[in-house]
Amino acid sequence: MANLISFDWAMKRLLRQKSNFVVLEGFLSTLLNEDIKIVRMLESEGNQEHEADKFNRVDMFAENSKGELVIIEVQNNRELDYFHRMLYGVSKAISEYISKGEFYSKVRKVYSINIVYFDLGQGKDYVYHGRTEFQGIHTKDTLGLSASQRKQFTYQKVEQLFPEYYVLRVNEFDKHALTPLDEWIAFLKTGKIPARPQAKGLKEAKEILDVSHLSDKDRLRYNSHMEALRYQASVIETGRIEGREEGREEGREEGREEGIKEGMKKGIEEAQKTIVRNMKLANIPMETIISVTGLTEKQINEL
């Protein structure tokens, strides 16, 4: 079985090339249950108005044949405010792709697709879909479009005008791949593709994402990327454990509720210092340290 490149790294390097769009088109068509054709890739960091924006960037930002915007993001590390990050990304995409003076009807439809490798929220499923509906408080009916609106907007329902969100909780998938979407989720989790995949795009992915097809330079970059991910995961988990233990110990010594809170705070601060120190020693880029820790560059340098 071929050794395949991880999907997140492939999005940053290989899948942005027009000749390789077939892989993403297959993934999107399977997830959205419609035929998706990508016209072009858009710049994820094009209009950064301030320093923090570049750390909220998405992995991929595309336009499909209908003129709709598609955001695809892969997140490996736990983020408590990830739902807010999803909202930020969609809001920014909408505001950036409408010109001043244009009618509101020109607002673009946005799909936010989030592939997360941690337990985001609480739920039993591994794929969640979110969209906007307006329900009557008293009648419980769903607010719809008028006949003239349906004609003008070419949509049949209000929900089709608003952004749609997909959350793929990859680590929660523990079943046999029985459907095309399951095959894609299984690949995202294990990096393996069956000999005869049924899902659209996976056959091509098996060829395009083969590590042996990388140049020596790209293979070195890819191995460094995977090592950095493993190291980050290890450092974060170590810091979390140490922070809890130091906090408990400090709390026991104080013997009061305030002491427990203060001890936990001190423990987390010490763990954070350890994480930053280790990541610096590993020559991990500053922007990655900022993204992982949530600290500013100034705070990191002070540590």
Side-chain angles (χ1 to χ4, degrees):
M1 182 174 291
N3 183 17
L4 301 181
I5 299 163
S6 68
F7 195 64
D8 62 328
W9 193 86
M11 287 200 303
K12 293 179 174 68
R13 298 282 179 181
L14 302 180
L15 301 185
R16 296 177 184 275
Q17 300 170 18
K18 191 173 183 64
S19 59
N20 295 335
F21 281 1
V22 63
V23 176
L24 280 173
E25 289 171 347
F27 169 64
L28 294 174
S29 298
T30 303
L31 179 64
L32 303 181
N33 198 29
E34 62 175 300
D35 190 29
I36 298 293
K37 295 294 181 184
I38 296 174
V39 175
R40 59 179 176 140
M41 292 297 162
L42 304 171
E43 179 52 62
S44 301
E45 302 175 31
N47 294 319
Q48 297 166 3
E49 296 178 3
H50 50 79
E51 185 68 15
D53 274 358
K54 65 183 178 182
F55 304 118
N56 290 285
R57 67 182 184 275
V58 298
D59 289 309
M60 184 166 287
F61 194 17
E63 179 184 29
N64 68 17
S65 58
K66 297 179 182 179
E68 300 167 332
L69 305 178
V70 181
I71 297 172
I72 307 176
E73 183 159 11
V74 179
Q75 180 59 24
N76 291 283
N77 299 319
R78 182 179 299 275
E79 289 189 12
L80 292 178
D81 60 354
Y82 189 81
F83 284 119
H84 298 81
R85 176 169 167 170
M86 290 163 52
L87 176 61
Y88 176 88
V90 167
S91 301
K92 196 162 180 61
I94 291 173
S95 63
E96 287 181 353
Y97 282 89
I98 184 170
S99 301
K100 290 182 179 180
E102 281 192 313
F103 294 114
Y104 291 125
S105 60
K106 299 298 183 182
V107 167
R108 310 276 285 276
K109 169 81 173 190
V110 180
Y111 294 94
S112 173
I113 299 165
N114 301 271
I115 303 169
V116 297
Y117 288 84
F118 62 93
D119 191 9
L120 177 62
Q122 289 186 328
K124 298 179 180 179
D125 211 326
Y126 48 92
V127 179
Y128 284 87
H129 178 211
R131 57 191 176 192
T132 301
E133 288 186 346
F134 297 88
Q135 190 178 70
I137 294 177
H138 303 99
T139 60
K140 305 304 180 185
D141 67 321
T142 300
L143 184 65
L145 296 173
S146 67
S148 60
Q149 286 174 323
R150 289 197 297 271
K151 183 177 180 180
Q152 180 180 354
F153 304 144
T154 67
Y155 288 120
Q156 298 302 306
K157 299 179 180 180
V158 172
E159 67 190 43
Q160 293 175 293
L161 297 170
F162 287 82
E164 295 187 37
Y165 297 87
Y166 288 84
V167 176
L168 282 59
R169 301 161 81 231
V170 176
N171 290 343
E172 299 303 307
F173 180 76
D174 60 356
K175 303 178 180 180
H176 293 294
L178 301 177
T179 67
L181 181 56
D182 282 354
E183 284 190 347
W184 265 105
I185 302 295
F187 162 61
L188 294 173
K189 181 175 182 177
T190 66
K192 299 176 181 179
I193 296 176
R196 295 180 179 83
Q198 301 301 310
K200 189 175 181 180
L202 278 183
K203 180 180 178 181
E204 292 81 0
K206 197 170 186 179
E207 174 69 21
I208 293 170
L209 304 184
D210 192 328
V211 172
S212 66
H213 294 169
L214 291 176
S215 66
D216 291 341
K217 186 176 181 180
D218 278 344
R219 190 178 297 110
L220 181 61
R221 287 175 176 173
Y222 175 64
N223 290 336
S224 296
H225 167 76
M226 296 304 295
E227 184 59 33
L229 285 182
R230 285 189 289 268
Y231 183 77
Q232 287 175 37
S234 176
V235 168
I236 291 169
E237 182 60 23
T238 299
R240 187 179 293 118
I241 293 171
E242 290 179 351
R244 284 200 299 263
E245 290 303 317
E246 291 182 21
R248 290 194 187 101
E249 184 62 32
E250 186 75 18
R252 283 193 289 268
E253 291 177 3
E254 293 289 340
R256 300 188 306 272
E257 183 178 349
E258 292 81 1
I260 294 174
K261 291 179 180 178
E262 184 63 26
M264 286 295 289
K265 181 180 178 181
K266 289 180 179 178
I268 292 172
E269 288 175 352
E270 288 302 316
Q272 201 169 46
K273 288 180 182 179
T274 301
I275 291 171
V276 170
R277 189 180 304 114
N278 289 342
M279 293 181 83
K280 278 186 173 183
L281 290 173
N283 294 319
I284 292 176
M286 178 61 72
E287 69 176 48
T288 302
I289 299 177
I290 292 173
S291 178
V292 169
T293 63
L295 299 174
T296 66
E297 185 171 354
K298 181 180 178 182
Q299 290 172 323
I300 289 171
N301 288 331
E302 288 175 352
L303 290 177

